[in-house]
Amino acid sequence: MNRRKYLAALGVLGSGTAAAMGTGAFTSVSASRDVSVSVADDTNGYLGLSASPNENGEFASVDTSSGGDGEIALDFGASDGGGSGVGLNSTYNFDDVFRIENQGTQTIYVWANFSGEDLDDDDIWFYPGSDSDRELNDGSNSVVTLTTGQQVNVGVHIDTSVLSSTENQALTASLTADVDVPGGLEGSQPSDPVGEDAAVVSKDPDAGEFSSIQDAIDAVDGTTILVESGRYEESVAIDVDGLTLKGPNAGIAGDSDQRGAEANINGLVAVDAEQVTIDGFAIEREASGSINQKGVIQMGAVGDSASGSTIANNAVTPNDTNSESAGLAGVAIESADNVTISDNVIAPAADSADTIGITRYVSNIENLTVSDNVIETTLGMAFGGNDTTDNPLTYSASITGNQFDNSGTYSLAVYESENLDVTVTENEFSADSGIFVTSLAREEAPRPTPAGDGEKLAVDQVVDDNTFNTTGEVTTTSVGEDSTYIVDDAILGEE
């Protein structure tokens, strides 16, 4: 079903080679028996246009004078540097001249067409960010995708090689914003605001959009997939390096009261590619927390590297259905270095068996960053140790600014490892569990752990640099020998 269409016409005047443009954009409709429509200026319309605050913004201006029309104008005549226009037989790229913002309620696709003089769409076009090869003029070229509230910095490409004189070019440009991709999936290539290929997933898809997240991943040869709010009953496997998966709450922390309607993924999210970003979703998985069902989000799920990936601003809900062998994780890391996990809420479903916030499975982990998360699972976070055949492993991590509120034996467990470089600072531990640093014999351990003689977490540093609000009701008898617990700012000692 088509949503509302937006159309903005741009008129052009200028000196040298100049372009001036203005829109009439709808801002509200009220109706009883009659319908009234108010028209806003360019900065306040549903399709907001404004001059860039950066240096190339000098070529754009908005008439805000008394009696002015509030329209934005582009003029490539004189410049502050002393120039008086573009030259003949030359090509110019002016990055970030003006801004377009989607101030409506739906995802839109924006492009422009030029006519009226010697320069046409082959000679002058708008482009997103600094990617002047992205011709935002529809046809076989590109359109820019803007979700609600999203803004693009627009550049202007001008090629004067077709001109034979220095007469001014009085161009007309038509700026169009539409909820459909022109030509559908076989038409224009959508771009994100920085010039990368983009695709949109919606529960009510318009032309050129997808109804399934996995279908979008499999179909696009690009880096950005924008997912609108709704419930998506599917598991997702990401095998595209550099892919960014953005939900409607991208950039908004998982515990923020500013979050709006969610894109809910009900299933496993498996990351088997590098430099992947998952940002702004609510993700829940119901599964048995067995060795084969490791997490809601699995990093390196089938052994392929997920290094350089980011999990941010999500609400992650593990729902473990196996009370006898519980332990489904919010995020399970198997094959990934340089991973960032930040600003998420990881909390179990109401009827779930025991869960764990973040864990590792039999692999080295280098440069893991875990910051500013709220972790409310039974067990908070565990890593370190050896692999299943007792090969020594190496771990380095920064665990900073998290809130651990866990009901199980521990909030943070760092097993002795062959090489261990872990910083634990500015976290708050506020449940009935503490931290332990442990060395277990193989036969005593339910998960792969070292046999001893490795490196351990420096417990004194942990006591000094974190906040403990626990009750101290922690037992250590079932953990094994040579275990150190930290509870209530005190080291309880070794057994």
Side-chain angles (χ1 to χ4, degrees), residues 276-297:
V276 169
T277 297
I278 301 172
D279 188 350
F281 290 87
I283 309 171
E284 179 173 351
R285 184 188 182 199
E286 180 180 298
S288 167
S290 69
I291 197 69
N292 295 318
Q293 305 289 334
K294 302 168 186 176
V296 179
I297 301 172

Side-chain angles (χ1 to χ4, degrees), residues 93 95 110-112 114 121 124-138 140-145 152-157 181 187-199 220-224:
N93 292 317
D95 289 353
V110 181
W111 67 94
F114 290 85
D121 285 347
I124 181 170
W125 59 75
F126 296 149
Y127 58 85
S130 58
D131 188 357
S132 60
D133 292 330
R134 283 278 186 180
E135 303 176 31
L136 300 180
N137 55 19
D138 188 18
S140 60
N141 294 316
S142 195
V143 294
V144 66
T145 309
V152 59
N153 302 344
V154 181
V156 182
H157 171 93
V181 177
S188 298
Q189 172 59 61
S191 163
D192 70 7
V194 297
E196 301 287 353
D197 286 351
V220 300
D221 182 21
T223 60
T224 303

Side-chain angles (χ1 to χ4, degrees), residues 148 201 211 240 271 360 362 449 477:
T148 299
V201 181
S211 61
V240 180
V271 181
R360 64 85 181 97
V362 295
T449 49
T477 55

Side-chain angles (χ1 to χ4, degrees), residues 32 58 70 121 138 161 164 214 224 347 381 384-385 417 464 475 494:
S32 51
E58 71 169 290
D121 285 347
D138 188 18
S161 60
S164 58
Q214 190 64 57
T224 303
M381 181 176 176
S417 304
D464 293 339
T475 60
E494 297 183 349

